[in-house]
Amino acid sequence: MLGQAVGTGIAKKNAMKARVTVTLKSGILDPQGKAIEGALRSLGLAGVSSVRQGKVFDIEIEGGDRAKAEALLKQAADKHLANTVIENYCVDVLG
């Protein structure tokens, strides 16, 4: 089965999985990324030159229409998941 519906324990047979990745646009300062970079260096991880932090949303959506699912997720990302003034997003419908 592809997964379980949140809170129901019932697997969804016709659910598609998708991933929405949200990242800061280039040129936007990333203080959290800088903090992670410093932490990795202090832990002895050699060779870290830069860290940029982002968000990943793994989403299951009902139905079998990939184009419709992608359009719906792009709309959700544009309006709710990303601040498009400072962030980019990428929608991948995985199947």
Side-chain angles (χ1 to χ4, degrees):
M1 298 279 176
L2 287 175
Q4 306 248 327
V6 176
T8 65
I10 300 170
K12 298 289 185 182
K13 290 181 184 177
N14 63 344
M16 289 185 291
K17 290 188 177 187
R19 175 167 286 166
V20 179
T21 305
V22 179
T23 55
L24 288 170
K25 291 181 177 180
S26 61
I28 301 295
L29 294 177
D30 185 0
Q32 190 170 2
K34 282 289 184 196
I36 294 166
E37 180 183 324
L40 291 173
R41 286 186 181 153
S42 71
L43 291 170
L45 189 62
V48 175
S49 61
S50 178
V51 175
R52 303 277 295 167
Q53 172 265 300
K55 300 177 275 193
V56 174
F57 299 91
D58 288 328
I59 300 170
E60 286 189 18
I61 189 163
E62 292 182 16
D65 186 341
R66 288 177 71 89
K68 185 176 178 181
E70 186 172 348
L72 181 67
L73 291 169
K74 283 183 178 180
Q75 183 180 12
D78 205 47
K79 291 183 178 180
H80 303 292
L81 302 179
N83 176 351
T84 56
V85 173
I86 62 169
E87 294 174 317
N88 293 318
Y89 63 86
C90 177
V91 174
D92 295 310
V93 178
L94 307 171

